[in-house]
Amino acid sequence: MGESAPPPRVARDRYDAVLGLLVLGYLLSAISVAGLGRVLTGAVYLGALVVAWASSVLRRLRGQLAAAALLVLALPVAVARLSGAGQTADVLGSLWLSLVLLLTLVTIVGRILQHDEVSLQTLFGALSAYLMIGLIFASWYAALQTIGNGTLFAGTRDANGKTLQYFSFITLTTTGYGDFVPATDIARAVAVLEALIGQIFLATLVARLVSSFAGRRRRT
């Protein structure tokens, strides 16, 4: 009788590492807005995608092709950013970064929804996804500001990446300090969309996962 085949290897979720990389990318973008800083930030976010993808159900050909495409696009985007190629490079860089984050977001949510039990890794994944929503919208605001020649906010021109990131998370959490106000219809529409997505995400997925995790801890 031949030996039985070994059981398939199951990838271990490492959403704690993903969350750590996202926080690192956030801090890098908050510290520096220069070309090299942007490239480093993009590399960190790409690393978060790789870690999330490695433990995801999207590890098949579709996920591999998407990750490969982003890697191929990374080189010309990085070169354009470092060389200061102007508005086109800035817009493409912002859109590329949003694609990296969006693919990571879809990867993580698709994975955690398949968890049989809510664990700490599930919660880390949900928090990572929430953080990525704010970073994705910050990238979109950056693209809109570049296209609009720095007129994204009323009374403020050429807001840097730190300001855009700040505005994104203030909008996502519906804090609404009012120190930055979108000046165009499309910017206001995007801000409203972000606020709605942030509240729906917190009230549905995150709240449900936290409740399930707390219930499981009480039973044990």
Side-chain angles (χ1 to χ4, degrees), residues 112-118:
I112 64 177
L113 288 178
Q114 293 191 353
H115 283 185
D116 295 327
E117 292 185 355
V118 177

Side-chain angles (χ1 to χ4, degrees), residues 183-203:
T184 63
D185 290 337
I186 186 170
R188 286 190 286 267
V190 173
V192 170
L193 179 63
E194 181 179 15
L196 289 174
I197 290 176
Q199 291 306 295
I200 292 172
F201 191 89
L202 281 179

Side-chain angles (χ1 to χ4, degrees), residues 2-8:
E3 295 181 357
S4 59

